[in-house]
Amino acid sequence: MSSPFQNEAFSAPDSRVKNVSDIILRAMAAEQPKLIADVGCGTGETLRYLVESMPGATGLGVDISHPNIAVAKTATESSPKKEQLRFIQGDFWALPSGQYDLIVSDSVFHLIPLPTVQMFAKVAENLSPGGVLVMTIPYACPYNTLLWMARRVLRAIKCKFTDQMILSIAKMLHGGKYSDSSLRERIIYMYHVPQAYLSPELHRLLTCDLGLKLFFVELLPHASLGQAKHKIVGYRKSAGK
């Protein structure tokens, strides 16, 4: 599967990694997942955090981006759990089915250019019986609708000037918090309009069609005007599946 993100690097801010990981750890406090998959693992920070915090857990990170996987593999060499961590470059179709006690994905599924039904059917198939899917994903709300309208306009006129305009605005708003390289990483997202987002239709697909049960849902902090508002949600696969 080709992707505009294949040759791009993306590193999540430390505060984002910790916030998302801590929510997952709280939600999974009574669980003991043995095998964790991180779909769209980026440079691997979230998966390392989870595996290092969950006794007995091993993790597999998969990401379409060559640069991301290279950074993840290098960073893992200093982890006390490096033997329990593995990273592969590719898309999530490479993951074997029915094996993962926990699948996590931070702001990725809405970026994958696949039909929503096909994509989440594969995710559900990859879960072990009783396994949990935890994802952060944009949700249906007026703010996101307006943001996606603006992104459609930007995508229609995309050029070096719009790239520079986006970067200049980002520096003005966040230059004291993020480096120029980190802000440049995010330019590509300002042209993206999601195919999948959390909505009553997606909830019905996950629960009625795919047999998952809502486990938890929380709002995530909204960090930027150019960022879609997200929720973090967990769905559990039936133990009998």
Side-chain angles (χ1 to χ4, degrees), residues 204-219:
R204 283 194 294 271
L205 168 67
L206 294 170
T207 56
C208 299
D209 298 346
L210 299 178
L212 306 182
K213 184 177 180 180
L214 184 63
F215 183 40
F216 75 93
V217 57
E218 289 188 29
L219 280 170

Side-chain angles (χ1 to χ4, degrees), residues 38-219:
D38 188 345
V39 177
C41 64
T43 50
E45 292 92 343
T46 298
L47 186 62
R48 286 194 298 274
Y49 193 110
L50 293 175
V51 169
E52 290 171 4
S53 302
M54 292 178 163
T58 60
L60 172 63
V62 58
D63 198 283
I64 200 73
S65 164
H66 294 271
N68 277 347
I69 292 299
V71 172
K73 287 180 175 179
T74 299
T76 296
E77 287 302 310
S78 62
S79 171
K81 294 286 191 75
K82 67 179 181 180
E83 299 301 324
Q84 286 76 49
L85 288 158
R86 186 162 66 96
F87 294 93
I88 59 173
Q89 188 276 324
D91 61 55
F92 77 109
W93 292 104
L95 297 180
S97 300
Q99 296 189 10
Y100 298 97
D101 304 309
L102 174 61
I103 294 177
V104 300
S105 188
D106 185 9
S107 197
V108 169
F109 287 127
H110 67 289
L111 303 175
I112 298 175
L114 282 175
T116 303
V117 174
Q118 182 183 5
M119 178 169 61
F120 283 104
K122 171 61 176 172
V123 174
E125 182 182 277
N126 285 350
L127 286 169
S128 64
V132 174
L133 163 67
V134 178
M135 60 181 172
T136 72
I137 187 168
Y139 60 94
C141 67
Y143 185 93
N144 285 344
T145 298
L146 291 172
L147 177 63
W148 296 331
M149 288 173 61
R151 287 183 178 183
R152 286 188 180 94
V153 173
L154 287 171
R155 187 168 62 183
I157 60 173
K158 184 180 184 301
C159 61
K160 289 183 179 179
F161 172 78
T162 56
D163 286 354
Q164 187 57 49
M165 179 187 69
I166 292 167
L167 180 59
S168 297
I169 294 172
K171 285 181 179 180
M172 181 175 63
L173 294 175
H174 305 292
K177 187 175 181 181
Y178 300 113
S179 67
D180 284 5
S181 60
S182 179
L183 294 175
R184 285 192 182 92
E185 287 177 0
R186 287 156 174 80
I187 291 174
I188 189 172
Y189 293 90
M190 288 303 299
Y191 299 110
H192 187 271
V193 179
Q195 295 183 199
Y197 53 90
L198 192 62
S199 63
E201 291 75 21
L202 179 56
H203 178 71
R204 283 194 294 271
L205 168 67
L206 294 170
T207 56
C208 299
D209 298 346
L210 299 178
L212 306 182
K213 184 177 180 180
L214 184 63
F215 183 40
F216 75 93
V217 57
E218 289 188 29
L219 280 170

